[in-house]
Amino acid sequence: MTEASHTPDYAPKGSRLGRKAGTRVFAVLGWVVALACVLPMLAVALAGMVGGTDTIAHLAGTVLPRYLITTVVLVVLVSLGTLLLGVGAAWLVTMTRFPGVRLFEVALVLPLAFPAYVLAYAYTFVLDHPGIVQTTLRQVTGWGPRDYWFPEIRSPGGAAVMLIFVLYPYVYLLARAAFLQQSAGAFLAARALGKSAWEAFWRVSLPMARPAIASGVLLAVMETIADFGTVSYFGVQTFATGIYTSWFSLADRAGAAQLALCLLSFALMLAVVERSTRGKARYHQAGKHHAEMPPADLTGLRAVAAWVLCAIPVVLGFVLPVVILCNMGLQSEQDLFSRRYIGFIQNSLLLASTAAVITVLAAVILGFYQRLRPGRGSALAAYMSRLGYAVPGGVIAVGLMVPFAAFDNALDAWMRATFDIRTGLLITGSIWLLVAAYMVRFLAAALGAYESGQSTVHANMDAAARSLGQSPLGMLRRVHLPILTPSLLTALLIVFVDVMKELPATLIMRPFNYDTLAVQAYRLASDERLEGAAVPSLVIMAVGLLPVILICRQVGRRR
């Protein structure tokens, strides 16, 4: 009995001290990561307040109302569009049966491979005034340029349509999961009480899935306010374009910081709403007595209508853009295998791989810190680290450039005054500061993938490792990491692709003459060389297909 009573302590005393020291190390590193993620937000807030009231008063009297109205219009349009497309498609493929439904379950996820700005390049090439659609219309009818009306693609409405087609899968995936997890009891009870299938869906199924749907819509909204490539190319003035214009074109650092502060406030408000909504997401979960919802068989015109409704977002959001971009690429003079393009590819791969490794390493530190010390402190550190996913890349860029530029300038002035040595900008404009911006922006995605895998590691495994004298680092290396390898690879892939597609932070923070595929596509499109922009855009899309394929495999297994 005496030996049994001391079972937790039979490890050597040195091992227990080593475990405490190892735990403290992970706690310190976890808080370093959390504070690094909050630094850009604090810097933006401080720079915005230091800028004084003259700048914000000037902005309020000139561009701020236009930025605000345009951003709100985009948010409303994208919210409605993603809601209708995502929920409608999720309900059709989950609760009905028609020819091709299994294919659409997977195909509806494919538009996630595209950044919205790539879709914008493709559709502008086809629908703009010199494009094939309007040219053919004029040739067939004999009309002149001013004899007819045609929807303007370069408009807030056009930007909203591009964003809807690439963002509705967020709503689709979450709504589909919610519908699959619902029990048939409430729906069948509503049908037994005389309600039609539409009334039962509207009054029972939709309210039960509301938290998941709201989370998907809010994710789409946060991506909308963070978008720069689409709105910039279409000439739509939002907060994202205003920050870039103030920073580069007008050299107004205070104005850029105050615009970034406005956008940061809106983004953090959305993050709080999304977090609280996600906290209620169990509202749609089934209880112990779970009966699967019987799908309704559609025939005739109903089956045709369902097929068409599911095909529209797939064709317009993926198939048609791929065909257009391939055609554009074949007409261009861009050589993907030239030394110049090899340099763009190498820069993109280097940035994406470096950022992915560092971001996943930070996620492992934070996730393991939560495992070692569950409580308010570790939960707060993880929450602070997740805030970056709600902050647009342009805001993070400003938040990092302001303090580090001040540090570089102060260091240079001191070195010149003391040693007559010019140090220049050591940190600002470096690859490592850009990688830090990527880590802040995408750490939430890596942390989510890591934590989902960590939930499969039973607490008894930790206890067994500790009883055998393993330090926290040894337990992580020998127990957790081998089990979590699939989750870590998924996290690496997600961050890698997100960095490949990221544009605003890269434009602002990249080193001089250090261009990526995304920057090259943006430059060519800005010069109206759309055929050339198709080549790097196709590479970005092809890389973006990798995580989409993983998601599609999971979707195919989840019924």
Side-chain angles (χ1 to χ4, degrees):
M1 295 295 293
T2 304
E3 288 184 48
S5 64
H6 292 286
T7 299
D9 295 323
Y10 64 69
K13 184 177 181 181
S15 298
R16 295 198 300 273
L17 293 176
R19 288 198 298 269
K20 290 182 179 180
T23 302
R24 284 195 296 269
V25 169
F26 276 98
V28 171
L29 291 176
W31 275 103
V32 168
V33 172
L35 293 175
C37 292
V38 176
L39 173 64
M41 306 171 210
L42 295 177
V44 164
L46 183 61
M49 295 175 183
V50 170
T53 58
D54 292 340
T55 301
I56 194 64
H58 174 70
L59 292 173
T62 53
V63 297
L64 195 57
R66 183 166 63 250
Y67 291 160
L68 180 61
I69 293 172
T70 308
T71 303
V72 170
V73 168
L74 273 180
V75 165
V76 171
L77 291 176
V78 172
S79 299
L80 292 175
T82 54
L83 177 67
L84 294 175
L85 274 183
V87 175
W91 177 259
L92 286 173
V93 301
T94 307
M95 301 303 181
T96 65
R97 283 292 173 268
F98 58 91
V101 65
R102 291 292 187 183
L103 174 63
F104 283 123
E105 281 184 350
V106 174
L108 284 162
V109 188
L110 292 177
L112 271 179
F114 277 104
Y117 59 82
V118 171
L119 238 66
Y121 304 156
Y123 278 107
T124 300
F125 181 77
V126 173
L127 298 178
D128 212 4
H129 185 270
I132 185 172
V133 173
Q134 293 199 53
T135 300
T136 304
L137 180 64
R138 290 192 297 270
Q139 290 174 350
V140 171
T141 61
W143 291 339
R146 299 185 179 181
D147 294 336
Y148 65 96
W149 175 86
F150 196 85
E152 178 58 57
I153 186 69
R154 299 175 188 253
S155 64
V161 171
M162 301 299 105
L163 290 165
I164 288 169
F165 280 138
V166 300
L167 296 179
Y168 82 84
Y170 287 124
V171 183
Y172 165 75
L173 288 170
L174 292 175
R176 180 178 179 275
F179 292 145
L180 283 174
Q181 293 168 357
Q182 286 182 10
S183 175
F187 184 86
L188 295 177
R191 295 284 283 149
L193 292 173
K195 301 297 182 183
S196 65
W198 169 253
E199 289 176 323
F201 164 73
W202 186 259
R203 297 190 178 184
V204 178
S205 298
L206 192 60
M208 292 173 69
R210 185 173 56 196
I213 294 170
S215 294
V217 172
L218 285 169
L219 285 173
V221 168
M222 284 187 282
E223 291 293 333
T224 300
I225 66 173
D227 177 77
F228 171 78
T230 309
V231 293
S232 174
Y233 178 65
F234 281 173
V236 177
Q237 295 183 322
T238 63
F239 279 105
T241 57
I243 293 169
Y244 185 83
T245 301
S246 297
W247 187 273
F248 278 101
S249 301
L250 304 178
D252 184 0
R253 304 296 189 259
Q258 292 184 345
L259 288 173
L261 180 58
C262 294
L263 189 55
L264 174 64
S265 303
F266 187 37
L268 291 181
M269 180 189 70
L270 289 175
V272 171
V273 173
E274 192 272 339
R275 191 71 179 173
S276 62
T277 303
R278 193 194 309 170
K280 302 173 185 176
R282 292 190 180 90
Y283 185 62
H284 67 264
Q285 300 288 345
K288 291 182 179 180
H289 304 288
H290 175 75
E292 291 186 0
M293 190 83 72
D297 291 324
L298 301 181
T299 57
L301 291 178
R302 291 186 176 183
V304 173
W307 195 95
V308 170
L309 290 174
C310 290
I312 286 174
V314 176
V315 172
L316 297 182
F318 182 79
V319 178
L320 188 56
V322 169
V323 173
I324 295 171
L325 288 170
C326 289
N327 183 55
M328 292 165 60
L330 292 174
Q331 296 179 20
S332 72
E333 298 178 355
Q334 304 293 313
D335 182 7
L336 188 61
F337 301 101
S338 66
R339 179 177 299 180
R340 188 161 172 261
Y341 262 95
I342 294 297
F344 295 149
I345 295 172
Q346 288 176 341
N347 293 343
S348 298
L349 293 178
L350 177 62
L351 282 175
S353 56
T354 305
V357 170
I358 291 178
T359 304
V360 171
L361 181 61
V364 170
I365 291 171
L366 276 167
F368 197 61
Y369 169 42
Q370 283 186 287
R371 184 78 173 218
L372 292 174
R373 283 190 180 178
R376 293 183 178 179
S378 58
L380 177 61
Y383 180 76
M384 291 166 59
S385 302
R386 284 190 177 93
L387 289 177
Y389 86 102
V391 182
V395 175
I396 294 175
V398 172
L400 288 175
M401 292 284 280
V402 168
F404 283 103
F407 171 80
D408 280 341
N409 289 327
L411 179 63
D412 181 64
W414 182 79
M415 290 293 290
R416 280 189 294 171
T418 307
F419 304 104
D420 196 24
I421 298 175
R422 300 178 63 91
T423 58
L425 299 177
L426 294 177
I427 303 176
T428 309
S430 66
I431 290 178
W432 295 109
L433 193 61
L434 180 56
V435 169
Y438 293 146
M439 186 203 73
V440 174
R441 179 77 174 88
F442 303 119
L443 180 57
L447 189 58
Y450 177 80
E451 288 179 345
S452 66
Q454 194 178 52
S455 62
T456 63
V457 183
H458 199 278
N460 290 342
M461 297 181 182
D462 294 356
R466 286 194 298 267
S467 68
L468 293 173
Q470 288 294 321
S471 65
L473 182 59
M475 183 168 64
L476 174 66
R477 181 167 58 88
R478 294 175 177 166
V479 179
H480 283 233
L481 292 185
I483 298 175
L484 297 176
T485 298
S487 298
L488 293 176
L489 292 177
T490 300
L492 281 168
L493 185 57
I494 290 172
V495 177
F496 181 88
V497 173
D498 282 339
V499 172
M500 288 285 291
K501 296 190 292 186
E502 207 283 333
L503 183 60
T506 309
L507 277 174
I508 295 175
M509 301 183 67
R510 74 189 190 283
F512 178 73
N513 204 26
Y514 192 90
D515 293 337
T516 64
L517 288 170
V519 172
Q520 174 67 1
Y522 173 78
R523 279 184 166 178
L524 291 172
S526 299
D527 294 338
E528 296 302 326
R529 298 167 62 190
L530 290 178
E531 293 94 339
V535 175
S537 297
L538 280 170
V539 179
I540 294 171
M541 181 275 299
V543 174
L545 275 176
L546 297 176
V548 171
I549 291 172
L550 290 179
I551 295 173
C552 289
R553 291 181 62 187
Q554 294 175 355
V555 167
R557 297 172 180 172
R558 285 192 63 178
R559 181 170 291 278

